[in-house]
Amino acid sequence: MDSISSKAKSAGPWNKGRLVGQKLPLKLREIWAIRIRLQLSARVRDLALFNLAIDSKLRGCDLVSLRLKDISQGRSIFHRAIVMQRKTGRPVQFEITDQTRQSVLAWIERRQLSGSQYLFPSRVSESPHLSTRQYARIVTRWVESIGLDATAYGTHSMRRTKATLIYRRTKNLRAVQLLLGHTKLESTVRYFGIEVDDALEIAEQTEV
């Protein structure tokens, strides 16, 4: 037993030595490429997880620990949901689009989930819900299925995707800050890696 625990300690963090840093968001065509593949292969759980990851913009730890009651009442999926973020301890609200509601409902009915059960139960007996590591492996399968380099993408790609599309269309940092649940606007600026030229372009388009 001691040898096993010492081996686990010596192994270090699971992501040691891997490429870290900002992960790329998915482009619109890539979102649909993954979505269609999941639909055609009847991957009910993965489709629900993918759609909810894109809509919610939640960190992986918050996404995998969602309970049924967080996003629905009985078989009625909310149009908007609110959850408490584990990292900040602050609530964040997100929209659930029609196609996401349909895919989540299909998953709920497939697994016959109810009440306060976790939305994405783990297939590993030791864990009550998907772990962030399991979620990361699932994301890797998604991006590899459409020919993307998995080292450039990760769970934060799911969180950043819709927020990035919103920012590019609106240049509204405050709105994106609220959607991501960041406490400070500076965090949102760093998260998107916005350069000075971007900031100047926004300023030039703002009449005062």
Side-chain angles (χ1 to χ4, degrees):
M1 185 74 176
D2 291 339
S3 62
I4 295 175
S5 60
S6 61
K7 184 178 180 181
K9 289 180 181 178
S10 64
W14 69 271
N15 60 349
K16 184 178 180 181
R18 298 189 182 186
L19 181 66
V20 293
Q22 293 285 19
K23 296 299 184 180
L24 295 175
L26 294 173
K27 298 174 182 176
L28 195 57
R29 66 176 181 273
E30 295 165 347
I31 295 172
W32 277 102
I34 292 173
R35 185 175 283 149
I36 290 170
R37 282 179 177 271
L38 295 177
Q39 290 172 339
L40 292 176
S41 58
R43 304 282 290 278
V44 180
R45 183 203 64 175
D46 277 22
L47 182 60
L49 181 62
F50 177 76
N51 284 340
L52 196 55
I54 296 295
D55 270 0
S56 70
K57 302 166 288 292
L58 291 173
R59 294 179 181 87
C61 61
D62 293 323
L63 178 68
V64 298
S65 60
L66 282 174
R67 294 178 184 267
L68 184 61
K69 65 180 182 179
D70 293 328
I71 55 98
S72 73
Q73 185 171 17
R75 289 295 187 267
S76 177
I77 310 296
F78 301 146
H79 287 254
R80 292 181 180 178
I82 186 167
V83 298
M84 197 67 68
Q85 300 173 98
R86 293 173 65 179
K87 182 177 180 179
T88 65
R90 294 167 63 91
V92 65
Q93 193 170 7
F94 58 90
E95 76 287 356
I96 306 177
T97 60
D98 182 59
Q99 65 181 343
T100 298
R101 290 198 302 275
Q102 291 179 29
S103 61
V104 169
L105 183 58
W107 169 241
I108 291 171
E109 293 177 342
R110 168 72 67 88
R111 282 297 300 260
Q112 292 296 297
L113 300 173
S114 62
S116 60
Q117 287 183 287
Y118 286 106
L119 189 56
F120 300 107
S122 175
R123 294 168 182 170
V124 179
S125 59
E126 294 81 9
S127 177
H129 58 74
L130 276 180
S131 68
T132 52
R133 180 180 293 189
Q134 289 172 312
Y135 175 43
R137 286 198 292 263
I138 292 169
V139 170
T140 295
R141 290 202 299 267
W142 290 342
V143 298
E144 287 181 339
S145 73
I146 60 169
L148 297 177
D149 179 3
T151 62
Y153 298 84
T155 58
H156 264 281
S157 297
M158 302 298 108
R159 174 163 160 78
R160 297 183 71 206
T161 290
K162 194 167 186 178
T164 299
L165 290 171
I166 292 169
Y167 171 70
R168 287 175 179 169
R169 289 175 183 174
T170 68
K171 300 296 185 180
N172 189 332
L173 271 177
R174 174 59 178 163
V176 175
Q177 177 196 358
L178 293 171
L179 292 171
L180 290 172
H182 287 161
T183 55
K184 296 180 179 179
L185 192 61
E186 291 85 351
S187 299
T188 309
V189 172
R190 287 196 302 271
Y191 193 74
F192 282 104
I194 296 171
E195 303 293 341
V196 174
D197 287 345
D198 294 322
L200 288 172
E201 183 182 345
I202 296 169
E204 289 169 352
Q205 295 173 357
T206 305
E207 298 289 341
V208 295

